[in-house]
Amino acid sequence: MKVLESEFAKGFIRMADDGWQLRYHERNGGNLSYRIRPEEIEEVREDLVEGDWREIGAVANEVAGEYFMVTGSGKFFRNVILNPEEAAGIIEISDDGSKYRVVWGLINGTVPTSELPSHLLNQSVKKRVTGGKNRVIYHAHPANVIALTFILPLDDKVFTRELWEMMTECPIVFPEGIGVVPWMVPGGREIAEASAKLMEEHNAVIWAHHGLFAAGEDFDLAFGLFHTIEKSAEILLKVMNVTDKKRQTIQPDDFRRLAEAFNVKLPEKYLYEKK
Ligand code: 13P
Ligand code: ZN
């Protein structure tokens, strides 16, 4: 089978296009990676080639030997659906987790996203903590989440609680809360390690003044999480535009009742009393 006929490639392309339609991707902003199942890679084996091994810039030994579909560096998300073979591709990770080679796509001299270290370290952590279930890591530049990083303290507890309060479904969608990385230089090992550390506990990590990373078992779950967080940030900004005081909101005890009703665990550290 050709890669572009496979369900995973179709899902990847659809998600990239959904992100473009929702205005998460100005220019080349954002990147996406999907950890391909062994049976999925076998289905498209006839369409694969073997490129040269290159350094990742970090060691991702928990995903050694795995294959990923990834977006290309500098490539525009709006072009993924129009020219997937140039805007995206498939890479194989070496047995020691330090190198990759292109086996499909990324044509015309394209290289994988500059955030490859973050994707692969996040993929490694999420693979481990979910017992192999997590497959998708998604990064984009959503305007409302980024705006909040200029207003709220850069604290996991504050971001989680404020975003939970904005829609009753939020604590059910991300009960484990959101991690926040302070401003750092993107595209390298340092920010990748800081993000991966937070991904041990969370499925979403905000990069201050930059964007959001979301993890999920499949395209729907990763995209749905990202979308929910950005919508919640939009509501919070609407409220803040009008007032700095909420007349009423969801209280800590309400969250506790919600947790019981929906059978989710909400860590008490997010249910602090506000002054
Ligand atoms: P790439 O085009 O290299 O994926 O970079 C975009 C981006 O969002 C960097 O954080
Ligand atoms: Zn970015």
Side-chain angles (χ1 to χ4, degrees):
M1 183 193 287
K2 295 279 182 204
V3 167
L4 291 176
E5 291 163 2
S6 69
E7 286 307 312
F8 76 83
K10 287 181 195 161
F12 185 100
I13 293 166
R14 178 177 166 219
M15 176 157 164
D17 198 57
D18 284 347
W20 156 250
Q21 304 279 355
L22 286 177
R23 308 182 69 234
Y24 297 161
H25 303 279
E26 77 296 339
R27 207 174 177 281
N28 66 307
N31 22 77
L32 173 62
S33 67
Y34 171 71
R35 189 166 57 85
I36 303 170
R37 292 186 166 81
E39 61 273 23
E40 290 172 326
I41 203 75
E42 286 320 314
E43 268 178 10
V44 299
R45 182 72 69 185
E46 63 182 78
D47 203 17
L48 305 186
V49 293
E50 278 182 8
D52 300 328
W53 291 108
R54 298 192 200 138
E55 297 290 331
I56 292 169
V59 180
N61 45 23
E62 288 169 282
V63 292
E66 299 250 23
Y67 292 81
F68 291 89
M69 187 155 186
V70 295
T71 47
S73 187
K75 296 296 156 185
F76 294 19
F77 259 62
R78 83 160 302 237
N79 291 335
V80 172
I81 196 165
L82 301 173
N83 190 1
E85 245 176 299
E86 181 166 326
I90 298 177
I91 59 170
E92 178 188 359
I93 308 302
S94 64
D95 288 340
D96 68 354
S98 74
K99 297 188 181 61
Y100 73 88
R101 64 178 172 188
V102 176
V103 297
W104 181 86
L106 295 170
I107 60 171
N108 299 329
T110 308
V111 295
T113 170
S114 58
E115 305 295 2
L116 192 63
S118 281
H119 277 265
L120 295 181
L121 295 195
N122 287 338
Q123 288 275 11
S124 293
V125 166
K126 296 312 300 187
K127 179 185 171 189
R128 171 164 42 78
V129 300
T130 64
K133 286 197 182 126
N134 193 92
R135 298 207 168 261
V136 180
I137 297 287
Y138 178 48
H139 167 61
H141 300 167
N144 296 293
V145 167
I146 296 173
L148 285 180
T149 67
F150 296 91
I151 304 169
L152 296 182
L154 298 175
D155 177 336
D156 304 1
K157 290 193 281 304
V158 176
F159 266 83
T160 300
R161 174 66 177 277
E162 292 305 315
L163 293 176
W164 276 3
E165 280 185 35
M166 291 302 107
M167 284 194 295
T168 298
E169 298 276 305
C170 282
I172 301 159
V173 177
F174 49 99
E176 63 297 313
I178 301 175
V180 182
V181 172
W183 187 86
M184 290 175 82
V185 175
R189 204 184 67 202
E190 211 182 322
I191 196 165
E193 284 171 351
S195 308
K197 206 166 145 216
L198 291 169
M199 280 288 185
E200 299 267 351
E201 178 181 342
H202 307 283
N203 286 315
V205 171
I206 291 170
W207 283 5
H209 322 323
H210 182 143
L212 175 64
F213 269 83
E217 293 181 12
D218 59 28
F219 295 117
D220 279 350
L221 289 172
F223 196 80
L225 172 61
F226 195 103
H227 193 187
T228 306
I229 292 170
E230 169 60 359
K231 184 168 178 191
S232 172
E234 183 181 348
I235 300 169
L236 181 53
L237 280 173
K238 282 183 198 290
V239 174
M240 287 170 138
N241 269 328
V242 177
T243 176
D244 61 356
K245 276 192 191 62
K246 298 167 199 151
R247 183 186 286 266
Q248 58 269 319
T249 186
I250 308 170
Q251 299 294 343
D253 274 344
D254 299 331
F255 284 117
R256 292 183 186 103
R257 281 163 51 212
L258 191 69
E260 217 180 290
F262 283 84
N263 206 16
V264 291
K265 222 177 121 357
L266 299 180
E268 278 293 318
K269 66 177 171 181
Y270 300 124
L271 302 180
Y272 51 87
E273 290 301 326
K274 291 187 187 174
K275 285 174 220 94

